[in-house]
Amino acid sequence: MLQDLENNFSELERKISTLQKNYKNLTENLAELSFEHEELKKKYDEERRRNQVLAEEQKNIKLYSAISGNPEHNRLMKNHINRLVKEIDFCIAQLQNSGL
């Protein structure tokens, strides 16, 4: 009976040791993955900003092309002018409503 208890205790010690090693490995893995996640978030944010800049540049290039008389961008130019006119009208309406 005493031998069985000693065996059980030894088995429990072995299992606890294994669990501690696994916990340490998982903790280290979590730290590595957290660092990698932060790095990927930074890269994602940089790429998103870069994408926004490129989209704005593309929009400006099309607008400049339309201004320069490129016939395939005439519709773009008309839409842009219409959008600007609507914004101006909206601003005027706000100024009138505010009493200025």
Side-chain angles (χ1 to χ4, degrees), residues 13-51:
E13 283 181 328
R14 187 185 62 74
K15 287 182 178 181
I16 289 172
S17 176
T18 302
L19 286 173
Q20 286 175 333
K21 288 178 187 175
N22 287 342
Y23 176 76
K24 181 181 177 185
N25 289 338
L26 289 172
T27 303
E28 290 172 357
N29 192 16
L30 175 64
E32 290 172 8
L33 290 174
S34 294
F35 178 76
E36 184 179 338
H37 179 258
E38 287 302 318
E39 291 298 312
L40 289 173
K41 276 176 44 176
K42 288 177 187 176
K43 285 182 182 179
Y44 171 77
D45 289 340
E46 288 173 14
E47 289 298 321
R48 196 176 86 228
R49 280 191 294 270
R50 187 170 161 250
N51 186 28

